[in-house]
Amino acid sequence: MNFCSHCAAPVVSLIPQDDNRPRSICTSCGRIHYQNPKIVVGCIPIWETRILLCKRNIEPRKGFWTLPAGYLECNETTEAGARRETAEETGASVVALQPYRLFDIVHIGQVYLMFLARLQAPRFHATRESMEVRLFEEKEIPWSTIAFPVIEKTLRHYWHDRPENNFSFRLEQETGTMQKDD
């Protein structure tokens, strides 16, 4: 941040009194600008034995496959955000949301909360954000064109947990490098 969003004066990076880390502080009005992680919410939409993926029509990673997910909005619950993102990216409605994975992605300042969800009906379509939307069995997943490491990890966890029908909630820290040990 270079300028104050309140008065447009330059900001400097200093540790405020009674704080423990540098913050952007306005040189004119003294406002402290806190920068906090972004919350990303999304779903694994399930229909029978298949899951719904969407091929991104926007950057980053345009043309790559992902689960429907995006930034949580202010005044929105995580569940409502996951439903909204699923509708915006796939045209589908989901029900029975269950928290499944929480990823701390510290190096990019994001937290991902992924839900398991059931498609209300097998109705979905391409959208402004997704050039293609389709249901996949495990053997059909386009692993080489999955958009983001956290999405690949979520998918691998899902297919690993599915035979035992044991979808326990798990918290993980994503380090920025995807390890193929699952």
Side-chain angles (χ1 to χ4, degrees), residues 4 7-8 17-18 21 26 31-32 36 39 53 55 57 65 81 94 98 104 109 118 124-125 127 137 164-165 171:
C4 178
C7 74
Q17 185 176 356
D18 298 325
R21 63 188 65 212
C26 180
R31 183 167 289 206
I32 300 171
N36 304 104
I39 307 294
L53 295 177
K55 187 182 252 187
N57 197 32
W65 290 93
V94 289
Q98 170 189 336
D104 289 322
R118 197 176 73 244
F124 48 85
H125 54 81
T127 66
E137 295 282 351
E164 302 297 321
N165 199 32
L171 169 66

Side-chain angles (χ1 to χ4, degrees), residues 106-120:
V106 176
H107 70 281
I108 59 172
Q110 292 182 350
V111 175
Y112 268 69
L113 176 57
M114 300 301 292
F115 290 87
L116 292 175
R118 197 176 73 244
L119 282 173
Q120 193 167 29

Side-chain angles (χ1 to χ4, degrees), residues 19-143:
D19 203 335
N20 62 359
R21 63 188 65 212
R23 309 288 183 183
S24 296
I25 302 174
C26 180
T27 58
S28 178
C29 71
R31 183 167 289 206
I32 300 171
H33 298 276
Y34 296 92
Q35 295 179 325
N36 304 104
K38 298 277 190 182
I39 307 294
V40 176
V41 291
C43 288
I44 302 173
I46 303 163
W47 182 257
E48 297 172 346
T49 61
R50 299 171 292 170
I51 61 170
L52 190 66
L53 295 177
C54 45
K55 187 182 252 187
R56 294 178 60 82
N57 197 32
I58 56 175
E59 293 295 349
R61 309 291 285 164
K62 184 175 180 174
F64 285 75
W65 290 93
T66 190
L67 291 165
Y71 292 119
L72 184 67
E73 299 287 348
C74 289
N75 301 310
E76 183 176 56
T77 66
T78 54
E79 189 174 319
R83 288 178 195 274
R84 175 187 51 77
E85 285 292 339
T86 300
E88 286 176 3
E89 295 182 10
T90 68
S93 294
V94 289
V95 296
L97 276 72
Q98 170 189 336
Y100 181 59
R101 289 291 181 269
L102 182 73
F103 292 93
D104 289 322
I105 311 177
V106 176
H107 70 281
I108 59 172
Q110 292 182 350
V111 175
Y112 268 69
L113 176 57
M114 300 301 292
F115 290 87
L116 292 175
R118 197 176 73 244
L119 282 173
Q120 193 167 29
R123 289 190 294 273
F124 48 85
H125 54 81
T127 66
R128 181 187 69 74
E129 295 184 28
S130 301
M131 63 179 74
E132 186 179 349
V133 180
R134 59 177 266 238
L135 290 166
F136 288 89
E137 295 282 351
E138 179 180 14
K139 66 182 181 292
E140 301 169 327
I141 300 288
W143 294 108

Side-chain angles (χ1 to χ4, degrees), residues 117-176:
R118 197 176 73 244
L119 282 173
Q120 193 167 29
R123 289 190 294 273
F124 48 85
H125 54 81
T127 66
R128 181 187 69 74
E129 295 184 28
S130 301
M131 63 179 74
E132 186 179 349
V133 180
R134 59 177 266 238
L135 290 166
F136 288 89
E137 295 282 351
E138 179 180 14
K139 66 182 181 292
E140 301 169 327
I141 300 288
W143 294 108
S144 65
T145 57
I146 297 298
F148 308 106
V150 70
I151 297 301
E152 180 177 344
K153 192 172 250 189
T154 301
L155 290 168
R156 290 192 185 281
H157 288 177
Y158 171 78
W159 294 110
H160 178 266
D161 293 347
R162 192 163 172 252
E164 302 297 321
N165 199 32
N166 180 14
F167 299 105
S168 58
F169 181 76
R170 217 157 86 192
L171 169 66
E172 295 196 24
Q173 184 172 0
E174 180 62 36
T175 61

